Amino acid sequence: MGRPGLPRTLPIRTAVALGAGVLAVLPVAVLPVAPARAEVQPPRQPPPGMSVVGGARLGQPGVQVDRAGATTLPELSALAWMISDIDTGDVLAAKNAHWPLPPASTLKTLFAAAELPRQPADTVHKVTAAELAGLGTGSSLVGIQAGQSYKVSDLWLGVLLRSGNDAVRTLAMMNGGVPAAVTAMQALADTLGARDTRVISPDGYDAPGQVSSAYDLTLFLRSALANPDFTRYAATRVAQFPGGRDAKGGLVPSFQIQNGNRLLAGTDGVTRYPGLIAGKNGYTAQAGNTLVTAAARDGHTLVATVLNPQSGKSNAVYNETRQLLDWGFAARARVAPVGSLVHAPTATPGHDAPARQAAEHPALAGARLVARWGALLALPLAGLVVLTLRQWRRQRARRRRRARVAAFMQRG
C-alpha cells in the first residue's frame, strides 16, 4: 500500500499528456495514497494466548530479549517487531512477535513467494479492463492500462517497487484469478509454519480478518529471498515502467518508478542502509506503516520486521528498522536467542491448532479432504490392480501352453 509523501512516480507534464481517461489508472503526483475509508484501529494490546511457534517466549507479550553481553535495545514504538538471523534461524529479540495485525503491502512478500515462479520473466501479457476491476478505493497503483501489453518482469517491478495493486491483480489473473492466488498464498503460509496469517486479498489491502505477524512476515521474506528473481526486483532502486496511450490514442513514453522502501532508495530524508538486500514497505489506514527488510553483514543476513510505530514521528518505521538492524548486527554473537524460525509446519498446543483448523480456507479444506480419501482408497485400488494383473498373466500362460500343445500335436 502506498503512504502519503512517497516520491512522485510521474512528472506532472507526463500525467497531463495522458488525458483524463488514463489518469484514472496511472499514479499522479503523490499517489499512491492511503485508503480513504477510516476503519476501526486494531487494539493497542496483544491478545492473550498468542501462538508459541518458534518458542514459548515468542508467545509472551512485550519485549523478549537476553541482554547479557549486549548493548541495550533501542526504545521502539512499534506495536510489534522482530529481529532474526535467517542464516542460523535465531530470533535475537522480539516484541509481540505473534500478534496478528493488518500487514498492508508487506503481505506482497508472500504473494511473490507463491506466485513469482509461475511465469517466465519475458512472458508478455495484454491487460484487459476486467483484470483491473475491483481494486480497493485508494489502492496504490503503478499505472497499468487496459489494452496495453506488459512483460512479467515489468509487472513484478510494479509490485515490488511501487507496491502497485494493479500489477498484483494482473499477475493474479494470469495465474488463475484472485481466489486462486489467495488459496496459493494461504497454502504456502501454512507450509512455512506461519500460523498467524489469514489471507483475504493478495495485495495486502485492508480486508476484514486479514492479518499476519512480525514472525510470519519474517518467514515470508526468508522464503521470497530464496528466489534470485525476487531479490533482483526488490533490490532495484529505480526502473523505467512502460507507458501507455493518452486520451487521443497517442503513445506516452515510459516513466520512472522508484523503490518505496526508503532504506533502500535513500529518499525523503532517509539514508540508505549499508548492506541492505531487499524488503517491502506498506501502509494502510488499519495497518499503519509496516516494513520487513533484510540486510547482510559479516556473512550473516538479518531480517527486521516492524509493524505500526506509534511515535507519530516522520519516517518512524524506517528509523526504528535501522536501529533494530544496528542492534542486531552488534548483538548477534552476544545474545542467546529467544526463539527460532521454523523450517516446517509445527503443531501448536492448546488454542492454536483448533483455530487453524476452524479458519482454514474452504479450498484448502477441500484439497485435504480429497487427499485423505485418496489415501484411504489407494490400498484397495492397488489390490485390485494386482489381482487383475495376476489374472491376465495366468490367462496368457494358459494360452501359451495350449499353443505349445497344439504345435506338438501337428508335428506328431
Side-chain angles (χ1 to χ4, degrees):
M1 297 295 148
R3 179 180 185 274
L6 286 174
R8 297 181 178 183
T9 60
L10 283 175
I12 294 297
R13 62 179 180 273
T14 304
V16 172
L18 289 169
V22 180
L23 291 180
V25 294
L26 283 179
V28 183
V30 296
L31 283 177
V33 299
R37 59 180 182 176
E39 301 285 353
V40 177
Q41 293 295 314
R44 300 299 92 177
Q45 297 296 326
M50 290 185 291
S51 169
V52 293
V53 171
R57 291 187 67 177
L58 298 181
Q60 298 177 13
V63 175
Q64 306 298 320
V65 64
D66 180 357
R67 290 188 174 87
T71 57
T72 303
L73 269 167
E75 293 186 8
L76 307 178
S77 69
L79 294 182
W81 53 260
M82 196 169 84
I83 179 75
S84 308
D85 185 332
I86 63 171
D87 297 303
T88 63
D90 292 340
V91 177
L92 306 179
K95 176 186 175 184
N96 302 325
H98 282 295
W99 186 355
L101 292 167
S105 283
T106 52
L107 195 64
K108 289 182 171 75
T109 55
L110 177 60
F111 177 73
E115 298 290 308
L116 203 156
R118 300 189 63 184
Q119 295 283 348
D122 57 356
T123 298
V124 177
H125 177 72
K126 186 174 183 179
V127 178
T128 67
E131 291 173 337
L132 299 176
L135 289 169
T137 304
S139 284
S140 51
L141 307 173
V142 67
I144 291 175
Q145 280 188 299
Q148 299 301 313
S149 295
Y150 300 86
K151 291 196 301 184
V152 164
S153 58
D154 290 325
L155 295 173
W156 279 112
L157 287 170
V159 170
L160 296 173
L161 271 67
R162 291 301 297 138
S163 209
N165 289 358
D166 48 354
V168 170
R169 180 63 59 90
T170 301
L171 287 163
M173 297 301 286
M174 291 176 66
N175 293 331
V178 171
V182 169
T183 299
M185 291 169 68
Q186 187 67 66
L188 179 58
D190 293 345
T191 298
L192 295 174
R195 305 283 180 158
D196 307 316
T197 297
R198 302 294 181 271
V199 183
I200 308 298
S201 66
D203 48 29
Y205 187 84
D206 285 337
Q210 179 157 272
V211 291
S212 192
S213 66
Y215 187 91
D216 286 8
L217 289 166
T218 301
L219 296 180
F220 301 156
L221 183 57
R222 182 183 66 174
S223 177
L225 287 170
N227 188 327
D229 288 337
F230 172 84
T231 305
R232 177 167 54 87
Y233 293 135
T236 301
R237 295 176 62 192
V238 177
Q240 288 296 118
F241 196 79
R245 299 280 176 178
D246 60 22
K248 296 181 179 180
L251 180 64
V252 176
S254 64
F255 54 92
Q256 187 182 92
I257 58 174
Q258 288 184 326
N259 199 310
N261 183 351
R262 298 177 186 178
L263 278 179
L264 187 143
T267 55
D268 294 314
V270 178
T271 305
R272 293 186 65 198
Y273 192 82
L276 195 144
I277 300 173
K280 188 70 192 75
N281 61 302
Y283 175 83
T284 66
Q286 290 187 47
N289 288 285
T290 60
L291 181 64
V292 55
T293 297
R297 187 182 302 171
D298 299 328
H300 286 265
T301 301
L302 302 189
V303 169
T305 304
V306 176
L307 302 179
N308 205 344
Q310 301 293 292
S311 69
K313 296 180 180 179
S314 176
N315 290 321
V317 74
Y318 298 103
N319 292 330
E320 293 190 14
T321 296
R322 180 187 301 275
Q323 294 177 67
L324 201 52
L325 286 170
D326 284 345
W327 179 88
F329 281 118
R332 180 188 57 76
R334 302 178 182 177
V335 297
V338 296
S340 61
L341 300 176
V342 294
H343 289 272
T346 56
T348 51
H351 73 286
D352 196 59
R356 173 73 259 163
Q357 186 176 9
E360 189 171 44
H361 192 283
L364 292 175
R368 287 190 171 92
L369 183 62
V370 170
R372 187 178 298 115
W373 277 105
L376 291 174
L377 293 173
L379 185 58
L381 286 174
L384 180 61
V385 170
V386 170
L387 290 174
T388 303
L389 182 59
R390 286 178 178 175
Q391 185 177 6
W392 176 80
R393 286 176 176 173
R394 288 170 181 168
Q395 291 175 348
R396 186 176 63 172
R398 284 197 293 268
R399 287 195 298 268
R400 287 178 176 174
R401 285 197 299 270
R402 289 170 184 167
R404 286 197 297 269
V405 171
F408 177 79
M409 295 297 293
Q410 287 177 358
R411 287 197 300 270

